[in-house]
Amino acid sequence: MTVKIIDKRAPDALVVPLLQDDRLADLLADIAHRAGVDAATLQQDFRAEAKETLVLYAAGHSGRRFYLLGIGKKNTFSDILVALRSFCHRYKAKLPLRLGVDLRHFSLPEIPRIADAVLTGLSLGLYEIGRYKTAPATKPAPVFGSAKAELDVLVPAEAVQAVKPAVQRAHVFAESSKQILDLMNAPGNYKTPSMLADWVVQQAEKSGFSVRVIPVESIEKEGLGALYAVGKGSPHPPVLLLLEYGAKSRKAKTPTFGLVGKGITFDTGGISLKPSANMHYMKSDLGGAAAVIGAFMVAAQLKLPVRLVGAIPAAENMVDGLAVKPGDVIHTYAGKTVEVTDTDAEGRLVLADAMAYLLKNETPDVLIDLATLTGSIIRAIGTQAAGLFTSNDTLAAALSSSGDACGERLWRMPMWEEYGSDLKSDVADLRNYTGKPMAESISAAKFLEHFTAGHPAWAHLDIAGTAFGDSEFTQTKSATAYGVRLITEFVEQWAAAHQLSSNE
Ligand code: BES
Ligand code: MN
Ligand code: ZN
C-alpha cells in the first residue's frame, strides 16, 4: 500500500474520523452538504460514539462515499487507533483500492500524532490471525490491503510536512507489531527456543540490530543454572538470546537501556503441572520476549539515537523424567542458590539468570524486564493495565506517563520489604515460591530484585493480563503486542530527557 499526504483533491471514498465534541454538528453539516443529504437528519443519527460507523453515498456521484467513524469524546492516541483498527477490520473486504482519510479538521501541533494513530490503526486492522489454515480463502483478499492500494491522508496544507514522519513511524510500528502478533499467536510447536532464535536472527537482519544465540552447552557451562533447570525437561533445549542495537562508544550521549523479556515458549507448569483447561493459552508465555524483540525492531528501523542491550531467556517448561522437581536446589548465574518449591514459578528463574548475565556484561543506565509472570496480577488489576514494580519514583513516573500516552497502561504496585520475607528457604538462599496464595505478583517482583545487583533504575513489568486476551478480532484469546510501543516511546522520552555528557 502506498501512503500519500495531500491537502487537496480528495479521493472518492473518504474515511472521516470524528470526535464527539462541539464541532461535530458543523462538521456533519459540511459532510451532509458534500454528500447531498439532509444535515439535520444526519446530525440526529450520527453521534460519533467510539467505533460508531455510518456510510453515506453521494447521490449522482459514482464511487463517492463517506465512512463516518466515531472516535468518542477523547482524542487520545489509543482511542483513535482502536477506532480505526476496528473500522478497518470490519470493512476491509469492501474498501476500494484508493481510499482517503480526511484529517483536515484536525490541526497542528497534535495532527502528526493523530495521523500516526490513524495509520497504525488502519494497518493493524488488516492483520489476519489464521496463519495455519489450509483451506483456500473463501473470500478474496481485500484489495485495500494489496500492494497496489493507495491511501491518501488529507491534512491542512500547513501540516503536510509535519505529518510526513508519522507515515513512516506508523508503518514501522504496525508492521513490527504484526510480526509480534504472529509470534505470540503461533502455536508452541512452531516456536521452540531454537526456532525462536532463528526467527529473531532473521528479524535482526531485516531491522538492523544484532543477536547472539547462547546455546544450551554454554548455558550449562557458564553456570546459568536456573535457565538450564527450567529448560531441561524439554527435548527442545533452552537458549539465551543477546540483542544489541546502537553504538557502544564511550562518547555516546544517549543512555543505554537493558531490556529483559521472559521467553517461555510454552508453559505446562512442569512437574507442578497446570490444569488442562486453558493450558493452550500458555503458548503466550513469551509476551515479555515479544515486547523486547518488537522494541528492538522498531528502534532499529526508526534509527532511534539510543543504545539497547537485550537478554531473552528462552525455554519450554515441560513435564519429563529429566525435568526439575519441586524441592530441587539450583545454582543461579548470580551465585545464589534457589530451592524450586514450585516448578510453575519458572519465569522468575529464567529472568534471574538473564538479568544477572546482562548486568555482568553490560552497564545499562536503566534496566527493564517484562514478563507474563503471574496470574496474580490479573486477579489484582485485570487486563486494563500491566503491573509496574520499581522502587525508583522517577522511573515509575516516566514509564507510567509513556503508558498513558500510548494506551498501554501501567499501574504501580508496592515493593515493601515485607513482601519478600516469605521467599526465605531453609535449605537454600531463596525459594522461588512463598507457598502462600497471596500477593504472588509482588513476591515474584521481590524475588527478581535479588538478581538486579542493586541497580538503581530497575523496573519489572508483569504483563500477564495485557499481552494476550479477549479481543473483538478473534473468537478466543489472542495477542495484543502490548509493550512494543510502551517500551519504544519510554526509551525515546527518557533518552531525550537524560542526555549524558560526552566526557562521562
Ligand atoms: N506463565 C504463568 C503466569 C500466567 C498466568 C501468565 C496466566 C498468563 C496468564 C507463570 O509461569 C505461572 O505459572 N505463575 C504462577 C506462579 C505461582 C506458581 C507462584 C501463577 O501465576 O499461578
Ligand atoms: Mn508457570
Ligand atoms: Zn510462565
Side-chain angles (χ1 to χ4, degrees):
M1 187 196 306
T2 350
V3 180
K4 276 193 297 185
I5 316 279
I6 56 175
D7 61 352
K8 46 180 125 29
R9 285 190 300 280
D12 278 336
L14 259 194
V15 183
V16 192
L18 290 162
L19 277 168
Q20 204 174 43
D21 62 10
D22 49 14
R23 290 162 64 213
L24 181 62
D26 287 349
L27 291 169
L28 288 175
D30 177 55
I31 292 161
H33 175 73
R34 282 149 69 197
V37 300
D38 180 63
T41 317
L42 179 62
Q43 285 160 347
Q44 198 168 23
D45 281 13
F46 185 79
R47 297 295 162 90
E49 311 273 359
K51 298 183 192 174
E52 182 182 354
T53 308
L54 184 75
V55 191
L56 290 180
Y57 297 94
H61 290 275
S62 170
R64 182 176 301 176
R65 63 270 223 205
F66 298 86
Y67 301 95
L68 306 191
L69 173 61
I71 303 294
K73 286 198 180 63
K74 300 170 289 161
N75 74 354
T76 66
F77 186 85
S78 63
D79 285 298
I80 297 171
L81 187 156
V82 164
L84 270 293
R85 180 179 183 187
S86 173
F87 165 76
C88 184
H89 178 78
R90 284 178 281 134
Y91 280 82
K92 62 187 159 194
K94 298 175 187 163
L95 295 174
L97 202 57
R98 184 165 179 225
L99 184 70
V101 196
D102 199 345
L103 304 180
R104 286 174 295 189
H105 48 296
F106 295 106
S107 45
L108 289 168
E110 70 266 26
I111 191 164
R113 183 84 174 153
I114 291 172
D116 184 356
V118 163
L119 294 174
T120 307
L122 281 175
S123 181
L124 286 175
L126 293 170
Y127 178 71
E128 294 283 354
I129 195 172
R131 279 277 169 280
Y132 305 87
K133 291 183 191 287
T134 56
T138 45
K139 36 184 186 184
V143 291
F144 176 63
S146 73
K148 276 184 284 173
E150 202 183 302
L151 180 68
D152 295 328
V153 185
L154 279 120
V155 302
E158 68 275 12
V160 171
Q161 284 309 320
V163 167
K164 278 189 178 151
V167 175
Q168 197 220 354
R169 193 176 164 86
H171 174 76
V172 167
F173 265 108
E175 293 311 314
S176 304
S177 299
K178 284 191 256 188
Q179 298 284 331
I180 295 309
L181 294 175
D182 273 347
L183 170 65
M184 285 292 283
N185 291 326
N189 60 329
Y190 281 80
K191 57 181 181 203
T192 61
S194 71
M195 289 160 97
L196 175 67
D198 291 345
W199 184 83
V200 177
V201 168
Q202 272 177 31
Q203 296 303 328
E205 271 167 24
K206 279 193 252 168
S207 300
F209 63 91
S210 65
V211 196
R212 262 198 316 142
V213 181
I214 309 292
V216 65
E217 296 77 20
S218 312
I219 289 173
E220 195 180 6
K221 207 163 59 212
E222 293 196 41
L224 292 116
L227 175 56
Y228 182 76
V230 170
K232 80 192 173 91
S234 169
H236 304 293
V239 297
L240 176 67
L241 306 178
L242 299 172
L243 286 60
E244 189 175 350
Y245 162 73
K248 199 171 186 169
S249 148
R250 285 178 63 80
K251 289 206 194 97
K253 284 190 184 153
T254 51
T256 298
F257 298 86
L259 303 174
V260 180
K262 172 178 174 182
I264 295 297
T265 61
F266 194 83
D267 183 11
T268 65
I271 302 294
S272 314
L273 191 62
K274 288 182 182 295
S276 56
N278 293 328
M279 198 204 276
H280 60 288
Y281 286 141
M282 280 301 123
K283 69 178 185 181
S284 66
D285 209 14
L286 38 44
V292 169
I293 298 162
F296 269 83
M297 287 166 70
V298 172
Q301 289 175 63
L302 293 180
K303 300 197 164 53
L304 298 185
V306 295
R307 174 169 154 78
L308 307 181
V309 289
I312 292 170
E316 197 179 53
N317 189 21
M318 296 294 282
V319 190
D320 183 78
L322 293 175
V324 66
K325 302 177 295 299
D328 283 0
V329 172
I330 59 178
H331 289 253
T332 65
Y333 186 73
K336 294 178 175 140
T337 54
V338 176
E339 180 189 7
V340 180
T341 46
D342 194 318
T343 66
D344 199 10
E346 84 297 342
R348 63 198 75 180
L349 297 176
V350 300
L351 288 170
D353 270 359
M355 288 202 297
Y357 193 90
L358 189 75
L359 291 173
K360 179 112 187 242
N361 297 288
E362 302 280 349
T363 45
D365 299 288
V366 177
L367 176 65
I368 299 176
D369 80 83
L370 297 99
T372 48
L373 203 62
T374 66
S376 158
I377 196 65
I378 310 177
R379 291 188 289 277
I381 58 173
T383 59
Q384 297 308 316
L388 164 62
F389 303 81
T390 179
S391 301
N392 182 320
D393 294 345
T394 313
L395 184 57
L399 279 164
S400 300
S401 127
S402 295
D404 290 343
C406 72
E408 296 180 3
R409 287 183 293 206
L410 290 168
W411 191 254
R412 194 169 178 189
M413 302 288 287
M415 280 291 271
W416 298 307
E417 232 17 81
E418 291 82 349
Y419 282 111
S421 57
D422 287 331
L423 291 168
K424 289 195 190 96
S425 162
D426 286 330
V427 299
D429 297 334
L430 284 168
R431 57 179 173 182
N432 74 332
Y433 179 47
T434 59
K436 291 184 192 158
M438 53 197 274
E440 285 167 352
S441 69
I442 312 177
S443 53
K446 294 306 284 184
F447 180 90
L448 293 176
E449 196 175 36
H450 287 277
F451 299 89
T452 57
H455 196 291
W458 163 65
H460 157 62
L461 313 187
D462 192 338
I463 63 172
T466 51
F468 200 83
D470 293 329
S471 150
E472 69 176 280
F473 310 110
T474 54
Q475 272 178 288
T476 56
K477 291 185 197 297
S478 62
T480 62
Y482 178 97
V484 175
R485 190 175 279 271
L486 167 67
I487 293 303
T488 311
E489 293 194 348
F490 160 74
V491 157
E492 285 181 298
Q493 298 293 325
W494 186 275
H498 296 79
Q499 294 282 322
L500 309 174
S501 66
S502 50
N503 54 8
E504 248 178 282

